[in-house]
Every structure is written in C-alpha cells, then in structure tokens.
Amino acid sequence: MSQVEIRHLRTLVALRESGSLVEASERMFLTQSALSHQIKELEGRLGCSLFLRKTRPVRFTSAGIRLLELADEVLPRLHTAELDLQRFAGGETGRIIMAIECHSCFEWLLPAIDAYRDEWSDVELDISSGFHFAPLPALARGDLDLVITADPVDEAGIAYFPIFSYEAQLAIAKNHCLVEKSWIDPEDLAKEVVITYPVDQNRLDLFTGFLQPAGVEPAKVRHAELTTMIVQLVASGRGVTCLPNWALHEYLQNDYVEVRSLGEEGIWPTLYAAVRKDQAEAPFMAAFIEVAKKVCFANLRGIVTAELG
Amino acid sequence: MSQVEIRHLRTLVALRESGSLVEASERMFLTQSALSHQIKELEGRLGCSLFLRKTRPVRFTSAGIRLLELADEVLPRLHTAELDLQRFAGGETGRIIMAIECHSCFEWLLPAIDAYRDEWSDVELDISSGFHFAPLPALARGDLDLVITADPVDEAGIAYFPIFSYEAQLAIAKNHCLVEKSWIDPEDLAKEVVITYPVDQNRLDLFTGFLQPAGVEPAKVRHAELTTMIVQLVASGRGVTCLPNWALHEYLQNDYVEVRSLGEEGIWPTLYAAVRKDQAEAPFMAAFIEVAKKVCFANLRGIVTAELG
DNA sequence: TTGAGACATGAATTAAATTCACCCTTGACA
DNA sequence: TGTCAAGGGTGAATTTAATTCATGTCTCAA
C-alpha cells in the first residue's frame, strides 16, 4: 500500500547532497548499514533501483530522480507545516470563534478585534451567529472558542475572565412620570411597555436581575433590532428600555432620554470572556482577553464606572 | 526531528472522510486502538491536539486543519509519484542516453529517435557527446544507457543486439587509377591520402578491418567533419575515403564518385545496440531497439544488402 | 439502570528499523 | 603485488516502534 515514506525522501536528499551512503548516514544520524538496508528495502518494494552506488558521487536512476523531485515538492511543505504546528503548540496562534450573549457588545467587541488583529494577524477570528441559544455547550464542544457572557455558570473545562462591569440602566422619556423617582422599583414597571432586543428574556438583565426576582411582569414587551430604534421609541414615550450605561451615554448627552438606576444600588452586570481551560493560558488567547479589557477601558473611559483586573 | 509521517496524514484524511475513529480505522485496515495510539502519540510529539473526539463527526482543531491542508498537498503528489515509479519498475518508461561510435550513424539514428518518440513520448532521450573515448565503461556505469557500436566486446552486464549490417566501401574519384580494379587490396592504399572523420583510427573500419590486419599504412590521413566535405575532397581527387554504402548511396546516384569493395568479399560490419542487461528486457528499451531496426530497414531499403533478424 | 457505541489505555505481541560484526570491492600507494 | 583505507553489502541480533488484545471509561438514549 504505502510504499514511500518521508524518511526515504530525506535519505535520498541527504544522498544527493553528500554523494555517498557513508556521509548521508552521518547526516541522518544513522549507520551506513541502516541506510543500506533502508534503501534496499525500498528498492525491493518499488521494484526498481534508485541509484548506482559504484560511482562517486552516486548516480541516480530515472526512478531516483523522480523520487528526488517528489522530495523537493514534499519536504519543504512538510517543514513549513511543522513550523506552523509548533506555533499552534506554543499557543502563538490559533482560532478564536466568538459568540456574544450581550446584544450591544458589538460596540466594543469590534474595535477590540481590530486592535487585536494588528498584533496577532494570523489568528483566525470570527464572530459566530449560530450559537445564541446555547453558547456554552458549543464552547465546551469546540464549535466556539470564546463566549462573552454576563453570567458565569460553573462548568468543568470552562474558565471565565472578567472584562468589565457596567450599570444596566432604565431609559425613559423625558416627560415620563418615572422621572420623578431617583431610582426605579420593580413594581414601577408593572404598567409599562418594555422595549428590548428581540431575544429571550432570560438573556436580559432587566428581567433576570430585576423583574423576575420581584415577580413583576411588565404590561407589554415590544422588540426592536437596533439600539437607535429602541431609544427613539423610548424618547417618543412608547415605552421604557434597559440598556448598558455605555450604550445610553450618547443619547443622554444629546438629551434624548432620561435614565434611572434599577433599585437603589443599581444593577451592575459584569461581562466575562468564557474560554476553554486548555486554551485559557495560550498566549494568543490571553492576549485577546487583555486587548478586550484595554479597549473597553479606553473606549468607555468615564462612562463605565468600574474597570476590572 | 521528523514528527509527521505519511501514515499520520492518511489517518487524518480517513478521519475527515469518515468522521469517527472506528470507521477511519476500518478504512485503514487497522484497529480502532491502533489509530487511537497513533494519534495520541502524534499529538504528544506535536504538543497540541488535532481534533475533538466528543462530537460526531469529529471536529478538527486549527492544528488538525493545518495538517489536513498538508495532507491535501502531499498525498496526491505522493500518489502520482508512485504511479510514475510503477511505470519505471514495469519498464514502461525510462531514460535512454545514447552514444554512437559510428560517425555517420546520425543519418538513421535521428529518424529512429523521431519514430520512437511518437510511441514512447515520456522516455527521456538524448544523444551524449561526452563519452566517445570509452562508451562501454560509461554504459556499464550508468552514464549511458545505449551505445551503437560495431564491435561487441564481451563484457559482463552488457547485452548486444544487432541492428543491421552494411558494407564499408572505398570511395574514389571517377578518374582515379583504382577504378580499374574490381576490388581493392590493402596495398593499393599505401600510396593514397585517406580522408576520414576526425576520430581515432581504431574506430574506423578501414583501419581496424582492412589496413591494420595487412600491416599497411596510407601515405597520409586527412580529416573532415562532414560527410559531404569528405566526398567532395574525394571527388576532386584529393584522396580516398571509406564510408558505409548507405552513406555513399546518394553521391553514387549523382555520379560524383566511384566505389569499390575492400577485398574480394568486402567488409561488412554489423552495428549493434549495446545496453545494460538489466534494462535489455524492459519494454521501453526493447521497443527502441525494434524501432531502430525497422527504421534502418525502411530508410536503407535497397541500399544495405543485409537486414538482420 | 442498562446497554450500545465511541474512544482511551496498559500490557502483550508483532513487525519493523537499526545496529553489530563481518564480508567484499576498489583504488591508491608503497 | 601486497596492503590499507574507504565505500558499500549482508545476516543475525537487538532495539524500537506499531499494532493488537483485553479492558475501562464516558455518553447518550431507551
């Protein structure tokens, strides 16, 4: 079946370069006898001789020349592949396919990716849209390599790294009656229309961290895709919404809406990067997490109230 | 040193195509255990894992994908090389580097080569100009693959195949005194200028087969490169020459010169193809000898007096 | 909870590559 | 002509590696 092997190609190349079995064997750190046997065996399997030994330097037959040709094609490729693999092994490169749970995270993730790519140009980067429903199993499985999530679930083989914290605030119209309050109670929203991204409520801080614990349901939930749309609806009094403070910052500065904390303390989710533990230490992955933190801190300076790590 | 081997590449490809170790092992005619060990060992040497086994089908890591890329580059090349080698082994192709002792043989050798090339297009053909001095050792050594020679020397490992016989005739000017004779005796040439190709006398039929046995030396020997030149010199009475009857045929028809046999019987050299015994049976080589014979017979029909089996 | 399927693992086995010790051949040189 | 060194070949012994066998573990699904 498999006749020729890498080792044979290396032997032939060494033979071409040295001109004799003895010298070739020294280059290959083998005895001359080993090469003699090796080549004899190969020639036997192939059914033709590869070179004539009675001359110095040895003279290759057509078959030998054909094999050298093959070696010249194959060995360099093998070599570069092995160099690449060394870099994979050293964690100097790899693949980061991400998923985000937090819908407005693109705002800081895309700049982070850009910054990272400058330094780690050959890491394969992608944001997956396919695993919104269950990103962590996909991460464990290897479909994903990094998940941005607000609630770390303790799972074997997954490590979490905090990126930053932000306040999830309620945005309301400037003429809304709730502007009177200095912070919002869950019950305040029982009669309100809540506008959210079109995602499951279990992935929204407002519900998981505020309304559900208090057993309150809003009068109605409306959906909009884009942050701008949501804020516009809020500004025109069609409902209220809950967004990260940094996502609202721009609209607040332009005086479109009012914002209030949820509860006296406010709700302060932390975003984590979840990665597989075996990759957590790899330089290319650690670097990504570092860059993400730095970019967040730089982009959101003065907006987010807390920086981590 | 040498990490990755062909067998690993094959395994990975089988794994990609089948999706599981079990099925891949069947394709490779190995046990599942063997593949498990094999891959574990490779992963250990490389220092990184190549695929995730907990999914069906298996999912390759970046490193695994890189190796599959290598496999896709290498395995097809390996395969075509092995096919080529099979043809070498089967004698379906090879290399024929020839040397000719007989200076005027180009006349029929070149057409023979052309005819041969039609059928055996990928046999490497060349006429070497480097081994005139000692073609047979070069043949034995492997520098040459075929030698056209008029005197077979019994040497181990060399086989001779007769191509054809011709008469070596003396050409003389139409007004030369020797036209009186119906054939030439060696002594007739003792006073003559002999014109030959610029090669050693031991490679000329006239000397080895006629003059030397009789202990006769011509008055003078002149040289000319081209057959035409030689014949012109002869026609203008500057000397005599000895050429194969088929080389003289054209000039004879145009009535430029007269020809006479050397001795009553004439000298009838036979041209042989000498090849190494190990190649003598190879179809590509046997075919060349066949073609050479046929072409000679066709081209020299009615000129040479003898065709050989 | 059990059973089936897929992969992992340690020990035994088998197969292969390599070495060792020796031989032969060749060419240089005394 | 004999000897020596260098290159290569070969059978048997040895070492190394690949493969199998017999189990074990894990996961998924009934």
Side-chain angles (χ1 to χ4, degrees):
Chain A
M1 166 99 207
S2 156
Q3 308 268 26
V4 180
E5 281 162 53
I6 299 295
R7 148 178 79 92
H8 297 129
L9 299 184
R10 286 197 214 279
T11 300
L12 287 177
V13 169
L15 200 52
R16 173 178 58 189
E17 282 165 7
S18 68
S20 87
L21 268 190
V22 173
E23 209 181 315
S25 67
E26 282 161 13
R27 291 187 184 218
M28 310 262 303
F29 305 107
L30 288 172
T31 60
Q32 171 271 320
S33 174
L35 286 205
S36 183
H37 281 294
Q38 181 187 105
I39 291 165
K40 186 192 175 183
E41 215 266 310
L42 179 62
E43 288 181 332
R45 280 198 292 204
L46 292 176
C48 54
S49 70
L50 297 173
F51 62 96
L52 306 161
R53 300 111 211 265
K54 313 210 163 180
T55 62
R56 199 156 352 283
V58 294
R59 185 180 315 282
F60 291 94
T61 63
S62 318
I65 288 167
R66 182 65 186 82
L67 271 189
L68 280 168
E69 223 169 81
L70 177 67
D72 290 335
E73 290 178 344
V74 163
L75 295 182
R77 288 164 208 269
L78 188 75
H79 186 240
T80 61
E82 286 185 341
L83 290 183
D84 287 351
L85 287 171
Q86 271 179 29
R87 303 194 317 127
F88 282 121
E92 285 166 53
T93 192
R95 186 196 74 167
I96 310 182
I97 295 186
M98 311 171 227
I100 48 178
E101 286 195 320
C102 156
H103 205 269
S104 30
C105 283
F106 284 108
E107 210 150 321
W108 58 266
L109 189 58
L110 294 178
I113 287 174
D114 285 344
Y116 178 78
R117 223 196 293 269
D118 286 347
E119 276 247 29
W120 301 79
S121 56
D122 55 352
V123 171
E124 185 192 343
L125 289 172
D126 205 0
I127 299 182
S128 163
S129 52
F131 299 98
H132 276 311
F133 51 95
L136 261 66
L139 175 60
R141 222 168 38 232
D143 284 313
L144 297 173
D145 304 301
L146 184 146
V147 173
I148 303 293
T149 179
D151 43 6
V153 179
D154 208 353
E155 194 170 338
I158 304 291
Y160 292 90
F161 298 91
I163 304 295
F164 72 96
S165 290
Y166 61 89
E167 186 178 1
Q169 289 179 310
L170 195 75
I172 52 183
K174 295 180 67 66
N175 59 357
H176 195 284
C177 57
L178 284 174
V179 296
E180 303 299 328
K181 302 194 66 174
S182 47
W183 76 80
I184 306 296
D185 291 304
E187 298 75 25
D188 295 337
L189 300 183
K191 299 270 171 59
E192 297 292 330
V193 174
V194 170
I195 304 165
T196 74
Y197 296 117
V199 299
D200 193 90
Q201 295 186 0
N202 293 319
R203 288 180 46 217
L204 295 168
D205 298 324
L206 178 66
F207 292 90
T208 58
F210 190 64
L211 296 178
Q212 285 168 8
V216 171
E217 276 206 28
K220 194 179 172 192
V221 177
R222 286 189 57 174
H223 297 306
E225 275 280 344
L226 301 173
T227 310
T228 319
M229 285 299 303
I230 293 175
V231 176
Q232 235 158 58
L233 289 169
V234 169
S236 63
R238 316 287 246 287
V240 301
T241 192
C242 173
L243 286 170
N245 51 357
W246 44 266
L248 287 169
H249 184 255
E250 179 190 349
Y251 304 104
L252 206 53
Q253 278 196 314
N254 291 327
D255 224 22
Y256 279 13
V257 291
E258 288 285 321
V259 304
R260 291 294 178 277
S261 294
L262 295 163
E264 188 165 6
E265 309 291 320
I267 291 182
W268 286 87
T270 299
L271 285 184
Y272 296 86
V275 301
R276 255 168 281 119
K277 273 188 178 137
D278 61 305
Q279 288 209 357
E281 306 300 320
F284 81 95
M285 183 63 84
F288 183 84
I289 294 170
E290 255 340 283
V291 167
K293 275 189 202 175
K294 282 220 182 70
V295 166
C296 288
F297 184 61
N299 279 9
L300 312 176
R301 183 193 307 271
I303 305 173
V304 301
T305 331
E307 193 221 354
L308 295 160
Chain B
M1 165 104 204
S2 157
Q3 307 268 24
V4 180
E5 282 162 51
I6 300 295
R7 143 181 82 91
H8 297 130
L9 299 183
R10 286 198 214 277
T11 300
L12 285 177
V13 169
L15 200 50
R16 173 178 59 190
E17 282 166 7
S18 67
S20 87
L21 269 190
V22 173
E23 207 180 316
S25 66
E26 282 161 12
R27 291 187 184 219
M28 310 262 303
F29 305 105
L30 290 173
T31 61
Q32 170 269 320
S33 175
L35 285 206
S36 183
H37 281 294
Q38 181 187 104
I39 291 166
K40 187 192 174 182
E41 216 265 312
L42 179 63
E43 287 181 334
R45 281 198 291 203
L46 293 176
C48 54
S49 69
L50 298 173
F51 62 96
L52 306 161
R53 299 108 210 265
K54 312 209 165 182
T55 61
R56 200 155 353 282
V58 295
R59 185 179 316 282
F60 291 94
T61 64
S62 317
I65 289 167
R66 182 65 186 80
L67 271 189
L68 280 169
E69 222 169 81
L70 177 67
D72 290 335
E73 289 179 345
V74 163
L75 295 183
R77 288 164 207 269
L78 188 75
H79 185 240
T80 61
E82 286 185 341
L83 290 183
D84 286 352
L85 287 171
Q86 270 179 31
R87 304 195 316 129
F88 282 122
E92 286 166 51
T93 192
R95 187 196 72 168
I96 309 181
I97 295 186
M98 314 173 227
I100 49 179
E101 288 195 317
C102 155
H103 205 270
S104 32
C105 283
F106 284 107
E107 209 150 324
W108 58 267
L109 188 58
L110 294 177
I113 287 174
D114 286 343
Y116 178 77
R117 222 196 293 269
D118 286 345
E119 275 247 32
W120 300 79
S121 55
D122 53 353
V123 171
E124 185 193 343
L125 288 172
D126 204 2
I127 298 180
S128 162
S129 53
F131 299 97
H132 275 314
F133 51 94
L136 261 65
L139 175 61
R141 223 170 37 235
D143 285 311
L144 298 173
D145 305 300
L146 186 145
V147 173
I148 302 294
T149 179
D151 43 5
V153 179
D154 208 352
E155 193 168 339
I158 305 290
Y160 293 90
F161 298 90
I163 305 292
F164 70 98
S165 289
Y166 61 88
E167 186 178 3
Q169 289 180 310
L170 195 75
I172 52 182
K174 294 178 69 66
N175 59 356
H176 196 285
C177 58
L178 285 174
V179 297
E180 304 299 328
K181 300 194 67 172
S182 45
W183 75 81
I184 305 296
D185 291 304
E187 299 73 26
D188 294 336
L189 300 183
K191 298 270 169 66
E192 297 290 331
V193 173
V194 170
I195 304 166
T196 74
Y197 295 118
V199 300
D200 193 271
Q201 296 186 2
N202 293 319
R203 290 179 45 221
L204 295 168
D205 299 322
L206 178 66
F207 292 89
T208 58
F210 191 66
L211 296 178
Q212 284 168 7
V216 172
E217 277 206 30
K220 194 178 172 194
V221 176
R222 284 189 60 176
H223 297 306
E225 274 281 343
L226 302 172
T227 310
T228 320
M229 286 299 303
I230 294 175
V231 176
Q232 234 158 59
L233 289 169
V234 170
S236 64
R238 318 288 244 289
V240 301
T241 192
C242 172
L243 286 169
N245 51 357
W246 45 265
L248 287 169
H249 184 254
E250 178 191 348
Y251 305 102
L252 206 55
Q253 279 196 315
N254 291 326
D255 227 21
Y256 279 13
V257 292
E258 288 286 320
V259 304
R260 291 293 179 276
S261 294
L262 294 163
E264 187 165 7
E265 308 292 319
I267 291 182
W268 284 90
T270 299
L271 285 184
Y272 295 86
V275 300
R276 255 169 281 120
K277 273 188 180 138
D278 61 306
Q279 288 208 3
E281 306 300 320
F284 81 96
M285 184 62 86
F288 183 85
I289 294 170
E290 254 341 283
V291 167
K293 276 188 199 173
K294 282 219 183 69
V295 166
C296 288
F297 184 61
N299 280 8
L300 312 176
R301 184 195 304 274
I303 305 171
V304 302
T305 331
E307 192 221 356
L308 294 160

